[in-house]
Amino acid sequence: NAGVTQTPKFQVLKTGQSMTLQCAQDMNHEYMSWYRQDPGMGLRLIHYSVGAGITDQGEVPNGYNVSRSTTEDFPLRLLSAAPSQTSVYFCASSPAGQGAYEQYFGPGTRLTVT
Amino acid sequence: SQQGEEDPQALSIQEGENATMNCSYKTSINNLQWYRQNSGRGLVHLILIRSNEREKHSGRLRVTLDTSKKSSSLLITASRAADTASYFCATDGGTGRRALTFGSGTRLQVQP
């Protein structure tokens, strides 16, 4: 299994541009989440999904959209990039079921907005 | 806002010594997890402790949980240079949901 994959690894955007960060998992996990990590800080939750067709906002959702049309994919869209969105973005997945709380993280996408 | 806050922010020790990191959180929890992040990489799950547990072991890791003080500690015994990483605690905010709230992390440097 590839686990959780993210593309691209690096991206530079100009202010106002839009783009989609891709996330895919091949473990048939129900739960998927997007986090951002700013320098020297922990992760903050942007959006999450408890299954295909169901998404919800996290702690810092403004400026981002998500959709979950399949179990495998959970793309994150930046609508109009701003320098404040410069960060490292991590996607994570987790299986359903009682006691299965461990999250599996992708390698991250490093985004710079100029 | 960060649910968990780790202490210390940075820790430097010699190989073979023990490393202790502490985490405080603000709300009720169903479980608390610890993750490791090597520089420039994603997070890796280390251990989970449930709210009704007080201590848990996994290899060289020992985690304690005090729900009355809303705090947890992670002890790494006989540390190795390969343990050099950032360590984060994460909680579910009492909801049992899979999306977590992370602390700001402890950066551990193990000198060979």
Side-chain angles (χ1 to χ4, degrees):
Chain A
N1 286 353
V4 180
T5 57
Q6 292 183 239
T7 56
K9 284 188 168 54
F10 302 93
Q11 182 70 49
V12 178
L13 291 178
K14 295 188 189 306
T15 297
Q17 288 184 318
S18 62
M19 79 159 294
T20 299
L21 279 63
Q22 301 292 343
C23 174
Q25 52 91 8
D26 61 359
M27 298 173 283
N28 202 32
H29 286 172
E30 290 291 323
Y31 297 89
M32 297 186 74
S33 307
W34 275 103
Y35 299 87
R36 59 177 287 176
Q37 184 178 32
D38 298 320
M41 295 184 66
L43 279 67
R44 290 185 293 168
L45 180 66
I46 304 172
H47 286 287
Y48 65 98
S49 170
V50 300
I54 307 170
T55 63
D56 205 350
Q57 295 182 348
E59 184 185 351
V60 288
N62 292 341
Y64 307 95
N65 270 359
V66 292
S67 60
R68 184 98 180 268
S69 56
T70 67
T71 300
E72 294 78 19
D73 300 298
F74 191 41
L76 178 72
R77 280 182 287 278
L78 278 70
L79 309 173
S80 177
S84 61
Q85 294 179 304
T86 293
S87 190
V88 181
Y89 291 83
F90 290 100
C91 179
S93 71
S94 178
Q98 282 290 337
Y101 295 103
E102 175 181 347
Q103 298 223 351
Y104 297 78
F105 282 83
T109 293
R110 187 174 296 273
L111 175 69
T112 301
V113 183
T114 61
Chain B
S1 64
Q2 297 286 324
Q3 161 75 320
E5 296 295 332
E6 279 90 339
D7 170 55
Q9 290 186 342
L11 180 61
S12 182
I13 60 174
Q14 297 293 317
E15 221 169 15
E17 293 181 337
N18 295 342
T20 300
M21 289 158 268
N22 302 297
C23 166
S24 60
Y25 56 91
K26 298 174 183 173
T27 68
S28 62
I29 61 171
N30 287 325
N31 63 74
L32 183 144
Q33 302 179 47
W34 285 89
Y35 286 80
R36 183 186 74 215
Q37 183 181 36
N38 290 87
S39 181
R41 309 291 290 272
L43 279 72
V44 174
H45 181 265
L46 293 176
I47 193 166
L48 178 151
I49 186 165
R50 300 186 195 285
S51 60
N52 61 354
E53 297 175 312
R54 292 296 168 258
E55 187 171 312
K56 199 161 182 181
H57 296 254
S58 176
R60 294 186 295 114
L61 305 180
R62 172 179 169 252
V63 170
T64 62
L65 178 65
D66 187 335
T67 53
S68 67
K69 295 181 179 178
K70 290 187 168 59
S71 67
S72 173
S73 67
L74 172 67
L75 168 67
I76 304 174
T77 60
S79 63
R80 306 165 181 168
D83 294 328
T84 294
S86 291
Y87 293 82
F88 296 90
C89 68
T91 61
D92 66 345
T95 62
R97 68 176 191 176
R98 302 306 197 269
L100 302 174
T101 302
F102 284 82
S104 53
T106 292
R107 293 185 304 280
L108 174 65
Q109 177 77 41
V110 181
Q111 306 286 351

